[in-house]
Amino acid sequence: MVKTYLRYVKDSCFGVIASGNSNSVYNEEGTHIITPSLEDAKVWNIRTGLETACWHDVDNKAEVTAILKSPNKDDYAVGYSDGSIRIWKYSTNSLIITFNGHKSAVTSLAFNNTGSYLASGSRDTDLIVWDVISEQGLYRLKGHKDQITGLKFLNLNGANHLISVSKDTLIKLWDLTTQHCIETLIGHRSEIWGLDVNKDENLIVTGALDQELKFWDIDTETLVKGLDNLEIDAETETLKKAIKYRGSIARASKERVGTLKFHPSGRYLGCQGADRNIELFKVQTEEEIKKKIARRKRRQREKSKKNKNENEKPTFADEVVALTLIKASSKIKSFDFKNSLNKDGSFNIMAALSNNSIEVYTSGLQSAEQPTVQNAVIDLHGHRSDIRTLALSSDDEMLLSGSNNAIKIWNLHTKQCIRTLDSGYALCSAFVPGNKHVIVGTKTGQLEIYDISSSSLIESIDAHDGAIWSLQIRPDKKGFVTGSADKDVKFWDFQLVEDEKTGMRRLSAIHMRTLRMSDDVLCVRYSQNQKLIAISLLDCTVKVFYHDTLKFFLSLYGHKLPVLSMDISSDNTLIATASADKSIKLWGLDFGDCHKSIFAHQDSIMQCQFVWGTHYLFTVSKDKIVKYWDCDKFENIQKLEGHHSEVWAIAVGKYGNFVVTGSHDRSIRIWTKTEEPLFLEEERDKEYEQMYNENAINDEDRNNLPIGSGVENENGEKMETEVQEVGSAGKKTMETLKAGETILEAIEIYEDEKGKMEEYEQKITPGGNVPKPARNPYILALNIPDITPEEYVLREIKSIKSSELEEALLVLPFSKVIMLFESIAFWIEKGLEIKLTCRILFFLLKVHQNQLTATKTMMVTLNRIKVATKKNIQKQKNTIGFNLAALKQLKEEYDLERSAEFFDNEESEETTTKKRKHIVVSQ
């Protein structure tokens, strides 16, 4: 009989306020902040410091790498490490569009001024322009040689251009009408990390690894004229450039630029380096520049009676001046300006820090003398460093998590932090029986006892001379044991003592006895009957002693590296040891024989723990994976993937109904047992299928790389052809392959239905009684009477995401494309979904042009399509034109009514009516 298990699934993830691989942004009103939270984006209320929404896609496992607010104010574009982009609606917290085109992490995003187009840059060095309205990729621009670090649209005066900067030190100006690069500038001598354009779109600022911010003028007239009206610059006698170097200013920081951003007003500039500082600069007006020069002249006249600079001209240093410096409490990952100014003329700046917190500052605008004030901090719901220890209360209601300098108590039902306590560097922890106190072992050798109700440290005991690596409550609940790097194992009893200050009785720990070992102690564990105690040492061995007499019982040899964690099953028969050599070993506690050695992970195994009452084991590792094992059959039951960094700690619920894990990425994840059965054979088949699909896609991507891109052929020779500057925006994924299979199946059903109907029509004779053929079950399942096979194909295509349609159509073989053209002819003649139909038609014509022109049998179908397409497109054009004219008329009437109150009093109502009639007649 096949053994079944119950599946564990991800229940929740908390503890992350702002992860470090993406920027954070304000919402439109400046009341909330949208931050990256590993694979999710979270919305935080600044006033209350609480999370109000979480943008989570069940199908996504990739980490957030870029966030951008759309000019539409309600839409936000979020880029991910797998190259995908999702657009979320802020008001409903719902996912509305998914784009998938990049092959690696999205590093930069930019909207045009209307929010209808989105540009994305990636580590794969490509730029992709997306149409947000039609939900499709337009084209891919290639030209940079390294990661894209900044993008900005230029939209003023009819310009349709895009500026990009990259780690390859280049600034590129792209003409989106002709889809090619029209200017390339060597901006810096080092990698460029920051780019922004001011509100008037006449000034560009760039920042790099050096200590200079460079500024560039934008000649809008040259941009608008384009390539057809090029002019010669009289000074340089060369073609006029649209971007010209203006000047530079020095930064105080020696670190590379992290975020570079103009205030929405255009008057102020913020620059954040890879340190704790945000430098603020002020863009002076002409009047302020004149006053500054006048003051300088006056000082010069006071120094020397002769004025030598009467005709002094302003320099660029006079136009952009340093305003103030904001110092955060930790390294800053990104910052953002609040859109609007405060009533007193100051502005707010939000800084997302590397220590998983957010700080909000208010800065004055008038001078550097005005202080910068910190007015909000969001840091309660997360640790400042990685989580090293987890412990559950006996009733599984509370969770303790410990890191450097702090421990936090969480309510497991609400996932809210209910206590934050300052501590040492916590390495191990436990709830004291009764769940009113917790005890923590630190890196400096102290044992710290905390009272949860009063949120206070009631005693700190100098227990060891080295780090306390392990701590466990005795099975009899009357004491505990600690193991340390000072080679001692110490046994402690709980005791109530009288507090000298208050005179009240409080909990304390009394040292009872010590067991001296030959090497550093890494882990100690009791058997559940309290007869044995197992101790793992730095010399890779595990020693087992009798608890009552501390006499030696067993020694477990076999690991090549130290055992970092171990656990004993609840029936006292099995001990599992997890080692830095990436393996777990299962031993019998009766004779110390090794039942099985399993290569479990791809990196060091940090902790392991049995489920109570079973021989099921959980392990966590530096390879970011949590694994679930059957220690009787020596098989891996399930892999739980979700963490984005090393997993340090694990805590299993009393009856195994949930598991909690803590990681270097500062997240705490809860995995809950479900009632869904799990079969090992099916799990292995899914893993193999996933590996096969990923390899197939990767191999195809490799085969489709342009020759000249550094790829070698089978003989080891470099392939030599040119790389095209423009390419397709899409990317082949499992979703697009499945969508292509959906279209393929629909076409096959169409062929089958059409063949049956032709055969039926041939059999029909006058006066005959031939039954109609039975319809396909898939068509009958729709429960739509009189639906034609062509309409069924259209219905299936409409079910495919717009962003995946073109890649799905590429999957079709040419024989099926011919059948699809017959359906397209039917759709156009019937006027069905003209916009979608034309998109499919034009894409297939572009891809299969040569084959179609060489296939004579297609001429009749193509002529049908040609005639019907012209007719229907003209009809659509007339409808749109009529609607535009009507909207224009309504706008003019609205403007007239709005301006009526400003007419002269002498003007009569009759005159106003005549004006309105004149406007209507002129239309």
Side-chain angles (χ1 to χ4, degrees):
M1 184 176 178
V2 177
K3 186 171 182 179
T4 61
Y5 304 89
L6 294 179
R7 185 182 299 276
Y8 282 83
V9 297
K10 176 186 169 185
D11 180 14
S12 57
C13 173
F14 55 96
V16 180
I17 298 171
S19 51
N21 289 333
S22 174
N23 62 307
S24 301
V25 297
Y26 269 111
N27 71 334
E28 181 64 24
E29 294 78 19
T31 57
H32 292 72
I33 297 172
I34 295 90
T35 66
S37 179
L38 301 177
E39 69 270 21
D40 302 332
K42 290 186 177 180
V43 183
W44 298 87
N45 186 309
I46 298 175
R47 185 176 60 85
T48 63
L50 298 177
E51 176 190 334
T52 59
C54 179
W55 298 346
H56 173 69
D57 185 0
V58 178
D59 298 328
N60 173 54
K61 294 181 181 179
E63 192 171 357
V64 174
T65 54
I67 303 176
L68 180 67
K69 179 176 60 182
S70 168
N72 294 336
K73 301 179 182 179
D74 197 30
D75 295 345
Y76 288 79
V78 181
Y80 296 84
S81 59
D82 62 352
S84 63
I85 302 168
R86 290 169 175 80
I87 297 182
W88 299 84
K89 187 165 286 295
Y90 178 81
S91 57
T92 60
N93 299 311
S94 59
L95 175 63
I96 54 176
I97 304 172
T98 301
F99 295 128
N100 211 328
H102 289 290
K103 297 175 183 177
S104 56
V106 176
T107 54
S108 184
L109 296 168
F111 277 105
N112 69 338
N113 58 350
T114 61
S116 56
Y117 292 102
L118 172 66
S120 61
S122 169
R123 286 180 187 164
D124 62 10
T125 75
D126 292 345
L127 307 175
I128 299 181
V129 179
W130 309 90
D131 187 336
V132 178
I133 305 299
S134 62
E135 303 181 11
Q136 63 176 336
L138 298 178
Y139 42 82
R140 183 189 301 265
L141 301 174
K142 303 177 182 180
H144 282 291
K145 304 298 181 186
D146 209 332
Q147 171 183 323
I148 308 297
T149 54
L151 292 173
K152 280 293 174 181
F153 275 96
L154 297 180
N155 304 283
L156 288 184
N157 300 325
N160 187 24
H161 295 78
L162 182 69
I163 301 174
S164 64
V165 296
S166 168
K167 287 171 65 177
D168 62 8
T169 74
L170 300 179
I171 303 173
K172 284 184 176 285
L173 178 62
W174 305 84
D175 187 333
L176 301 183
T177 305
T178 58
Q179 300 173 16
H180 77 287
C181 178
I182 57 175
E183 284 187 21
T184 300
L185 305 173
I186 300 176
H188 296 261
R189 294 189 177 184
S190 56
E191 298 172 351
I192 302 178
W193 283 95
L195 164 75
D196 203 12
V197 178
N198 68 345
K199 181 181 178 182
D200 299 327
E201 293 191 1
N202 57 13
L203 187 65
I204 302 172
V205 60
T206 57
L209 289 173
D210 52 32
Q211 286 186 263
E212 281 188 334
L213 294 181
K214 293 193 175 183
F215 292 81
W216 312 77
D217 279 329
I218 303 174
D219 189 345
T220 309
E221 293 183 3
T222 304
L223 280 182
V224 174
K225 288 179 182 178
L227 296 175
D228 298 332
N229 299 289
L230 295 176
E231 296 182 5
I232 302 297
D233 192 332
E235 296 181 2
T236 60
E237 297 183 355
T238 57
L239 290 177
K240 273 191 174 181
K241 297 287 187 180
I243 300 177
K244 297 180 181 178
Y245 179 67
R246 176 77 174 275
S248 63
I249 57 175
R251 297 192 297 123
S253 174
K254 296 181 180 180
E255 303 291 334
R256 74 164 178 86
V257 170
T259 307
L260 193 59
K261 187 171 292 189
F262 278 103
H263 188 272
S265 66
R267 291 290 314 281
Y268 307 96
L269 174 67
C271 176
Q272 163 250 320
D275 52 18
R276 297 170 52 189
N277 302 328
I278 300 175
E279 299 176 55
L280 296 178
F281 301 90
K282 186 176 182 181
V283 182
Q284 303 280 65
T285 61
E286 291 184 10
E287 185 178 346
E288 290 171 335
I289 293 173
K290 288 178 182 178
K291 288 182 180 178
K292 185 175 181 180
I293 293 176
R295 287 196 300 269
R296 191 159 58 215
K297 288 179 181 179
R298 190 164 56 249
R299 287 195 299 269
Q300 288 173 350
R301 281 197 296 269
E302 291 173 358
K303 289 182 178 180
S304 58
K305 296 181 180 179
K306 295 181 180 180
N307 182 15
K308 300 179 181 179
N309 295 305
E310 201 63 45
N311 298 320
E312 182 182 359
K313 295 182 180 180
T315 63
F316 187 75
D318 298 323
E319 298 181 29
V320 181
V321 296
L323 181 64
T324 186
L325 187 70
I326 297 176
K327 274 190 174 293
S329 60
S330 182
K331 283 189 177 182
I332 301 173
K333 284 297 183 180
S334 70
F335 77 92
D336 193 23
F337 288 109
K338 183 180 177 181
N339 281 348
S340 57
L341 299 178
N342 300 324
K343 292 181 180 179
D344 60 352
S346 61
F347 62 88
N348 288 356
I349 301 175
M350 173 273 299
L353 308 185
S354 61
N355 67 355
N356 192 32
S357 65
I358 298 169
E359 296 178 350
V360 180
Y361 299 89
T362 299
S363 181
L365 297 177
Q366 302 304 322
S367 66
E369 285 77 19
Q370 288 190 347
T372 299
V373 180
Q374 182 187 110
N375 56 16
V377 178
I378 302 175
D379 62 355
L380 178 63
H381 297 283
H383 283 280
R384 307 284 75 77
S385 60
D386 50 339
I387 297 165
R388 296 304 300 263
T389 177
L390 293 173
L392 285 167
S393 60
S394 59
D395 55 3
D396 288 345
E397 296 288 329
M398 293 186 293
L399 172 72
L400 162 68
S401 60
S403 65
N404 185 11
N405 300 328
I407 61 170
K408 288 180 179 286
I409 310 295
W410 306 82
N411 184 315
L412 278 178
H413 291 292
T414 63
K415 314 299 186 296
Q416 297 295 314
C417 178
I418 56 178
R419 294 287 187 275
T420 298
L421 308 170
D422 293 334
S423 72
Y425 198 130
L427 295 177
C428 53
S429 60
F431 276 88
V432 176
N435 301 325
K436 294 182 179 180
H437 299 81
V438 294
I439 186 166
V440 176
T442 67
K443 196 171 186 178
T444 54
Q446 273 83 32
L447 278 175
E448 298 176 344
I449 303 175
Y450 295 88
D451 186 341
I452 298 176
S453 58
S454 63
S455 301
S456 61
L457 172 66
I458 59 175
E459 187 175 7
S460 178
I461 303 170
D462 294 327
H464 291 272
D465 296 328
I468 302 176
W469 292 111
S470 184
L471 178 155
Q472 190 188 21
I473 303 294
R474 280 208 313 261
D476 63 6
K477 311 298 183 187
K478 295 180 180 179
F480 61 95
V481 62
T482 57
S484 168
D486 64 1
K487 304 180 183 180
D488 285 347
V489 177
K490 292 189 176 182
F491 299 85
W492 308 78
D493 280 350
F494 292 121
Q495 191 170 343
L496 292 174
V497 298
E498 185 174 333
D499 196 323
E500 296 178 356
K501 295 181 179 178
T502 63
M504 304 288 289
R505 300 187 76 187
R506 61 170 176 82
L507 182 71
S508 181
I510 306 299
H511 177 222
M512 302 304 294
R513 52 181 178 167
T514 301
L515 177 62
R516 185 73 176 173
M517 305 302 296
S518 60
D519 212 332
D520 293 10
V521 179
L522 300 181
C523 186
V524 290
R525 284 293 178 270
Y526 278 109
S527 62
Q528 295 304 316
N529 57 12
Q530 204 173 311
K531 289 184 178 179
L532 302 173
I533 182 169
I535 303 167
S536 72
L537 304 177
L538 191 63
D539 62 6
C540 309
T541 63
V542 175
K543 309 288 186 183
V544 183
F545 296 86
Y546 291 103
H547 173 255
D548 51 0
T549 62
L550 296 185
K551 287 186 177 180
F552 176 76
F553 173 54
L554 290 173
S555 185
L556 309 179
Y557 295 93
H559 283 290
K560 298 178 181 177
L561 290 174
V563 174
L564 303 180
S565 178
M566 55 187 177
D567 198 22
I568 298 175
S569 62
S570 56
D571 60 2
N572 308 301
T573 61
L574 203 62
I575 179 171
T577 56
S579 168
D581 63 10
K582 310 174 189 178
S583 68
I584 55 174
K585 291 183 185 291
L586 304 172
W587 314 77
L589 264 182
D590 44 5
F591 301 107
D593 56 321
C594 181
H595 293 179
K596 187 70 174 180
S597 178
I598 304 172
F599 184 79
H601 289 268
Q602 299 300 317
D603 210 329
S604 300
I605 304 171
M606 304 311 298
Q607 279 197 9
C608 66
Q609 189 171 346
F610 277 106
V611 177
W612 180 268
T614 70
H615 284 179
Y616 298 149
L617 180 74
F618 281 94
T619 59
V620 297
S621 167
K622 284 186 177 181
D623 64 4
K624 312 174 189 178
I625 296 175
V626 182
K627 289 191 176 182
Y628 181 34
W629 303 87
D630 184 341
C631 293
D632 290 327
K633 292 193 170 185
F634 315 123
E635 288 190 286
N636 177 217
I637 302 171
Q638 192 179 359
K639 286 197 298 185
L640 303 175
E641 297 177 306
H643 282 289
H644 296 269
S645 192
E646 298 94 336
V647 187
W648 295 115
I650 187 171
V652 180
K654 188 172 182 180
Y655 301 106
N657 54 334
F658 68 92
V659 178
V660 187
T661 54
S663 169
H664 181 74
D665 60 18
R666 301 184 178 91
S667 70
I668 300 173
R669 293 176 187 265
I670 298 179
W671 314 84
T672 305
K673 185 194 287 186
T674 65
E675 296 301 320
E676 180 186 353
L678 181 150
F679 300 94
L680 294 182
E681 292 77 7
E682 290 183 1
E683 287 297 301
R684 299 295 92 80
D685 291 342
K686 286 180 183 178
E687 290 176 10
Y688 293 144
E689 184 180 358
Q690 184 179 356
M691 290 173 57
Y692 174 80
N693 292 332
E694 289 175 356
N695 292 334
I697 291 173
N698 293 336
D699 291 343
E700 188 156 355
D701 288 342
R702 181 181 174 84
N703 294 334
N704 291 335
L705 281 174
I707 300 177
S709 56
V711 178
E712 298 179 353
N713 59 18
E714 295 178 355
N715 299 324
E717 301 171 349
K718 292 283 184 180
M719 301 187 282
E720 306 173 347
T721 54
E722 297 182 358
V723 180
Q724 295 182 353
E725 194 173 44
V726 183
S728 172
K731 179 180 78 171
K732 184 163 289 187
T733 62
M734 281 307 301
E735 287 73 21
T736 59
L737 291 175
K738 290 177 181 177
E741 291 175 359
T742 300
I743 300 175
L744 197 60
E745 291 172 0
I747 293 174
E748 289 175 351
I749 291 174
Y750 161 75
E751 286 184 280
D752 182 50
E753 288 288 297
K754 186 179 178 182
K756 288 194 292 186
M757 288 305 297
E758 289 177 354
E759 185 179 349
Y760 169 71
E761 289 172 0
Q762 291 176 359
K763 291 181 180 179
I764 291 178
T765 57
N769 186 15
V770 180
K772 280 190 175 182
R775 306 209 71 181
N776 190 284
Y778 288 99
I779 297 179
L780 291 174
L782 297 176
N783 199 22
I784 301 176
D786 302 327
I787 183 174
T788 63
E790 292 86 353
E791 291 172 338
Y792 172 77
V793 176
L794 179 60
R795 184 182 177 87
E796 291 297 302
I797 291 178
K798 282 173 63 179
S799 67
I800 296 170
K801 289 181 181 178
S802 180
S803 57
E804 299 173 355
L805 180 58
E806 293 182 354
E807 287 296 321
L809 291 171
L810 290 176
V811 176
L812 302 179
F814 185 68
S815 60
K816 302 301 179 184
V817 171
I818 293 175
M819 301 303 299
L820 185 56
F821 267 99
E822 294 182 7
S823 295
I824 290 173
F826 177 86
W827 302 339
I828 296 179
E829 288 171 349
K830 296 293 183 181
L832 303 174
E833 300 288 344
I834 296 300
K835 181 181 175 182
L836 175 62
T837 302
C838 288
R839 180 186 169 191
I840 297 170
L841 172 64
F842 299 149
F843 178 76
L844 292 176
L845 288 174
K846 179 180 176 181
V847 172
H848 301 284
Q849 180 184 1
N850 294 334
Q851 289 173 291
L852 289 171
T853 52
T855 308
K856 295 182 180 180
T857 56
M858 284 296 297
M859 290 301 107
V860 176
T861 305
L862 291 175
N863 285 330
R864 280 176 59 200
I865 293 174
K866 179 181 177 182
V867 174
T869 302
K870 283 185 177 181
K871 178 182 176 182
N872 277 283
I873 289 180
Q874 185 61 45
K875 184 178 178 181
Q876 293 277 331
K877 185 178 177 183
N878 294 339
T879 303
I880 293 172
F882 181 83
N883 291 337
L884 286 174
L887 290 171
K888 187 176 180 182
Q889 173 67 27
L890 290 172
K891 182 178 182 300
E892 291 183 353
E893 288 188 5
Y894 175 77
D895 292 340
L896 188 61
E897 289 176 1
R898 295 277 290 180
S899 60
E901 58 183 297
F902 299 105
F903 290 157
D904 294 335
N905 293 332
E906 299 176 358
E907 186 176 21
S908 64
E909 187 177 342
E910 184 179 352
T911 308
T912 306
T913 307
K914 286 181 179 180
K915 285 186 175 182
R916 292 178 178 174
K917 288 182 178 179
H918 173 71
I919 291 174
V920 175
V921 172
S922 64
Q923 291 296 322

